[in-house]
Amino acid sequence: MSTVLKRIAGSAPLWAWIVMVVLVVGLIISGNRTAPVSSTGAHTDPTSMSPASTPATAGFIDDAKANPSTPKTLVLLGDSTGADRKGWTPALATSISQNLDRPVAIRFWNTSADAYGPVVGVGNGTNAAIGFWNASAPGKSVAYTAQNLDEMIPSQVTPDLVLLNFGPGQDACKPLAAQIQPLITEVRSKYPNAQIAVIKQGPRQGSDVSRQLSDYASAMSADGIQVIDVYSAFPSSTAGLAAVMRDAANPNAREQQLWSTTVLAAFGLPAGQ
């Protein structure tokens, strides 16, 4: 972290350096919070509890609004579809900052170093900062995420919400839910007070993955986990799908906007800001 500050201090104007220091401190503070742990894994902190019917993402926003002076932490575990620096994840960070009057400190995972890159400051605000740890790992499987979980969620971090964004890029011969479930089990064990939501990703060019994704979404819902349905935002025709895909698996800029709209709606946030 000190290396990041030195780089910022040497290349940014004073006002930017001050803002970044606030963001870095917010990222650390949001991780240093200690959350009460119950023997059942249920939330026991009255200030962070949401009604059972409230989706995890909406509960994250509701609690952030109800407790503006308390830092919050969001973690994204997933594949290349969440790694675009101009995609839906920065859009989510920007919308959270604008609508909650909070600075957001986001870090992107680097698969070459198996570590996070420098802090990127998004927006500003008078309320406590939000730390956004984006551990999207292009070209890697859910097994890679499980192996690196202790680095992706460092020991000083206490996540409030964990998003899982894995799709048909996993082993096509095995049910997707069965491949993701061990990671969910580990997250629940290590962070019993964290809410979890999964993303039902979009289709793939050249292959029919509708059944695989539908079965995955059904299994997650049956387990009481919120499913963010990005799949339905994609065109259903072959030509329409080709027009919004950068390659067989990853959306282009146009579809990133549709993906952003879907995720923001799940958080109860407006799009297009």
Side-chain angles (χ1 to χ4, degrees):
M1 195 70 74
S2 61
T3 303
V4 175
L5 290 176
K6 290 177 181 177
R7 186 181 302 122
I8 293 168
S11 60
L14 179 59
W15 67 266
W17 186 88
I18 294 173
V19 169
M20 190 58 68
V21 169
V22 172
L23 288 169
V24 172
V25 171
L27 189 64
I28 295 172
I29 292 175
S30 66
N32 282 339
R33 291 175 297 109
T34 55
V37 178
S38 69
S39 59
T40 62
H43 286 264
T44 57
D45 180 2
T47 65
S48 61
M49 290 185 65
S50 301
S53 59
T54 302
T57 50
F60 177 83
I61 296 299
D62 289 346
D63 188 61
K65 289 180 177 178
N67 301 280
S69 62
T70 302
K72 302 285 287 182
T73 303
L74 169 64
V75 174
L76 172 63
L77 305 174
D79 57 24
S80 61
T81 57
D84 193 328
R85 299 299 182 94
K86 296 182 180 180
W88 66 269
T89 53
L92 174 60
T94 298
S95 185
I96 288 175
S97 176
Q98 292 176 343
N99 287 280
L100 274 62
D101 191 28
R102 289 174 179 253
V104 177
I106 183 170
R107 297 186 73 174
F108 292 88
W109 184 259
N110 184 333
T111 54
S112 297
D114 289 339
Y116 281 105
V119 175
V120 177
V122 177
N124 51 48
T126 59
N127 295 323
I130 289 180
F132 187 173
W133 301 81
N134 184 347
S136 298
K140 302 296 185 180
S141 68
V142 65
Y144 169 85
T145 296
Q147 292 167 1
N148 290 276
L149 188 62
D150 288 342
E151 288 73 38
M152 290 177 168
I153 308 180
S155 59
Q156 74 271 23
V157 171
T158 304
D160 296 288
L161 174 64
V162 178
L163 294 179
L164 300 179
N165 179 39
F166 297 95
Q170 307 305 310
D171 189 342
C173 297
K174 299 178 181 179
L176 185 56
Q179 297 177 69
I180 309 300
Q181 191 60 55
L183 178 60
I184 292 175
T185 299
E186 186 171 4
V187 168
R188 281 174 163 167
S189 175
K190 290 184 174 181
Y191 314 103
N193 290 312
Q195 295 290 330
I196 299 175
V198 302
I199 293 177
K200 180 184 177 182
Q201 293 187 357
R204 297 294 191 268
Q205 292 192 79
S207 60
D208 183 4
V209 297
S210 57
R211 179 62 181 272
Q212 182 186 27
L213 288 171
S214 178
D215 289 348
Y216 171 61
S218 296
M220 294 297 101
S221 294
D223 194 23
I225 296 174
Q226 177 189 0
V227 177
I228 303 174
D229 183 13
V230 171
Y231 185 93
S232 297
F234 279 70
S236 57
S237 69
T238 300
L241 183 61
V244 298
M245 297 294 287
R246 190 177 74 235
D247 53 37
N250 295 285
N252 61 21
R254 176 185 169 190
E255 187 56 34
Q256 284 282 358
Q257 292 179 348
L258 295 176
W259 192 306
S260 298
T261 299
T262 303
V263 173
L264 291 176
F267 277 82
L269 298 170
Q273 292 194 31

